[in-house]
Amino acid sequence: MGVTSRLHHLRHARSWTQADLARHVGVSRQTINSIETGRFEPSLSLALKLAALFGAPVEDIFALR
Amino acid sequence: MVEITHKGTWVKWSSLDARDKGWFVLSMAAALPFGLILAVPAGEWAYQLGHHLRSDGAPPDMRHFAAIVGSDVFRYAVIAGLICGTVSAAAWWRFSIRQDEMFNRIQNYALGQTGAWSLAGATAWWVLSLGGWTGPFLPGPFLAASLVLLCAFWFYAVARWA
């Protein structure tokens, strides 16, 4: 069972690059890319950071596939 | 934050900041003398294997190797190599703790799997040796096999997550 995310959509809504988003949450651009493409499931702390950054609940960004 | 490239064999240099680069370069530079020390027994095994394949069972002439290994220079080089290996490992640890969770998940997976399989392999070797099925435990080939496993699990983790 994997995880899907709306990260790509949310990032585009703010006209951010992957590098921009990576800088905001303190990870590499590669990590953001892997999360957006569904290869990497973020830790709870990173998911909460992303949720706080976008002002949305975690379950609005991530969902079980 | 580091980005892994070339299917796990290198990193994107521009993704590292100045401190990352410092730890990375120190770790790689210190690993070189340690690798040269390991290359001596590796060269011995390769020579013995090549001789065995070509010589109808005649014992190889290892006098030159014995002279190198038995010299005082080599004895002290081993100590220096071990210190360099320790410095390399410490620098890599400092580099690793500055990286993000994906890098550390990949590294922890590779190290964890290698540790578990190496422990299982060493246990199996030892138990089989009790029944006379294998020879005595040899740390050299065991270490070589563990390094191969570490690379395999690293590449698998990079392909899976990065």
Side-chain angles (χ1 to χ4, degrees):
Chain A
M1 187 183 297
V3 169
T4 60
S5 86
R6 294 179 55 241
L7 210 53
H8 178 84
H9 172 78
L10 293 167
R11 177 173 63 78
H12 266 270
R14 298 197 177 196
S15 302
W16 284 347
T17 64
Q18 289 180 339
D20 293 333
L21 179 54
R23 256 193 310 278
H24 275 99
V25 291
V27 298
S28 70
R29 184 209 56 80
Q30 191 174 35
T31 298
I32 296 297
N33 179 263
S34 291
I35 294 170
E36 286 187 358
T37 52
R39 287 198 308 276
F40 182 74
E41 295 174 17
S43 66
L44 180 59
S45 59
L46 179 54
L48 289 170
K49 273 187 196 175
L50 290 164
L53 180 67
F54 289 114
V58 171
E59 58 268 32
D60 279 4
I61 303 176
F62 299 101
L64 290 173
R65 191 174 284 155
Chain B
M1 296 286 172
V2 67
E3 292 185 26
I4 300 166
T5 62
H6 299 82
K7 299 187 184 299
T9 57
W10 197 240
V11 300
K12 186 177 176 183
W13 193 244
S14 61
S15 70
L16 304 179
D17 64 21
R19 288 183 71 185
D20 288 341
K21 287 175 182 173
W23 289 121
F24 186 85
V25 168
L26 176 61
S27 180
M28 292 293 127
L32 194 61
F34 183 60
L36 287 175
I37 295 297
L38 294 182
V40 174
E44 180 198 9
W45 297 328
Y47 177 77
Q48 287 179 329
L49 177 63
H51 190 275
H52 178 74
L53 293 174
R54 293 282 298 174
S55 72
D56 298 333
D61 181 1
M62 302 301 290
R63 281 176 297 181
H64 292 299
F65 176 78
I68 294 171
V69 171
S71 68
D72 281 345
V73 172
F74 186 76
R75 289 181 64 232
Y76 287 110
V78 165
I79 299 296
L82 193 58
I83 292 169
C84 287
T86 305
V87 169
S88 175
W92 188 259
W93 170 70
R94 292 301 300 267
F95 171 80
S96 297
I97 60 174
R98 293 175 49 79
Q99 306 312 315
D100 70 358
E101 64 183 56
M102 187 172 75
F103 175 86
N104 280 290
R105 191 179 297 180
I106 289 168
Q107 179 161 267
N108 292 346
Y109 175 85
L111 290 174
Q113 288 285 339
T114 302
W117 284 103
S118 296
L119 185 62
T123 304
W125 190 337
W126 176 66
V127 169
L128 288 172
S129 74
L130 295 177
W133 293 103
T134 62
F137 183 77
L138 301 174
F142 177 75
L143 178 63
S146 294
L147 287 174
V148 170
L149 274 181
L150 179 63
C151 291
F153 284 122
W154 173 271
F155 293 139
Y156 169 78
V158 169
R160 178 177 172 185
W161 287 312

